[in-house]
Amino acid sequence: MYLALYVVPPDYQQGDSARILYIHVPAAWQAMFIYVVMTILAAIALVWRIRLTEILAMSCAPIGAALTLVCLATGSLWGKPMWGTWWEWDARLTSMLVLLFIYIGIMGLYAAFDDRRKGARIASVLVLAGAVNIPIIHFSVEWWNTLHQPATIKLTGESSMDPSMLPPLIWMVISTKLFFGAALLDRARNELLDQDRSKSWVARKVLQADQ
Amino acid sequence: MIPELSHASYVWTSYSIFGAIVAWQFLQPLLRRKRLVNSMIEAEAERRAAGRNRA
């Protein structure tokens, strides 16, 4: 964030508002990455019924929702000075909003069941159904004529971004990955503790920590 | 030192939202764990008290 705010020069057209992209783009990428991870975990949970994958998949949803919200809010804050509008019902923006609703739906469905394992399995079906939205988000700027610009950074082909702007973006992408890992383990630990609260190993651990 | 930026209000609001949401993602599980552990300690204390009363 230091590089993004202090070191990188302002964009020649957008001025300092371009600094918003250093959180907007990593948040968007990470929100989609989390959904892919959640889909894989949900598929494993449905096929092999491994409890840990159910817990991990369900723990992904609030983190993904938070980053989707960051992406939408920062995109809106960038859009106002650059496009002259807070919101536009364009394909990229709308599909990202749908992603947020899917995340919220998964969280709601999971929380609606007293039996957490049953809730996780039913929410996993929604996760798999919602996965269709990920390629729609990715290709929306190519399939439809949108206000949102096409990809500026490409894994294959030449990126249209100045190399001086890349280091803070790369650092922020790495940081959001690490944040996701830490937050996921933190949430999964709580969920496991909650589900196993009546088991002796949890009581032993908790009482040991209390003494 | 706070840099002087064009569109400063948009930039700082964006970074503030990001900071607040990331901080909440760490704070919320911490609070939940605290509540969980406290409720488990209380349940264990009640269980022990009930055991003593029976004896």
Side-chain angles (χ1 to χ4, degrees), chain A residues 1 4-6 14-17 19-20 22-23 27 62-63 66-67 69-70 73-74 77-78 80-82 86 116 172 176 179 182-183 186-187 189-191 193-194 197 202-203 206-207 210-211, chain B residues 1-45 47-48:
Chain A
M1 275 167 77
L5 283 169
Y6 289 87
Q14 302 176 22
D16 287 311
S17 71
R19 294 179 200 281
I20 295 172
Y22 299 113
I23 46 176
I63 311 165
L67 286 167
L69 190 63
V70 168
T74 55
L77 283 158
W78 178 87
K80 183 61 184 166
M82 292 300 115
W86 295 104
R116 308 308 282 267
M172 285 301 284
T176 49
F179 157 70
D186 210 15
R187 282 182 179 277
R189 184 166 63 164
N190 279 353
E191 199 54 47
L193 204 64
D194 196 11
R197 60 190 304 160
V202 175
V206 168
L207 293 174
D210 186 46
Q211 280 161 5
Chain B
M1 194 184 72
I2 298 169
E4 281 183 30
L5 308 173
S6 60
H7 307 107
S9 58
Y10 297 104
V11 177
W12 290 119
T13 309
S14 296
Y15 279 79
S16 303
I17 290 170
F18 176 67
I21 289 177
V22 167
W24 179 246
Q25 287 299 310
F26 284 111
L27 198 65
Q28 197 256 338
L30 204 72
L31 295 173
R32 187 184 171 201
R33 186 152 56 247
K34 218 171 172 177
R35 272 200 311 272
L36 265 172
V37 169
N38 283 340
S39 72
M40 278 189 265
I41 290 168
E42 276 172 26
E44 181 65 19
R47 198 183 60 81
R48 282 182 182 180

Side-chain angles (χ1 to χ4, degrees), chain A residues 124-164:
Chain A
S124 293
V125 176
L126 179 60
V127 173
L128 296 187
V132 74
N133 191 42
I134 297 300
I136 292 176
I137 296 172
H138 183 73
F139 293 109
S140 58
V141 287
E142 293 172 24
W143 290 345
W144 293 284
N145 188 16
T146 61
L147 190 58
H148 195 285
Q149 64 270 36
T152 36
I153 301 148
K154 293 170 187 147
L155 287 175
T156 52
E158 204 178 326
S159 298
S160 54
M161 191 181 222
D162 189 84
S164 70

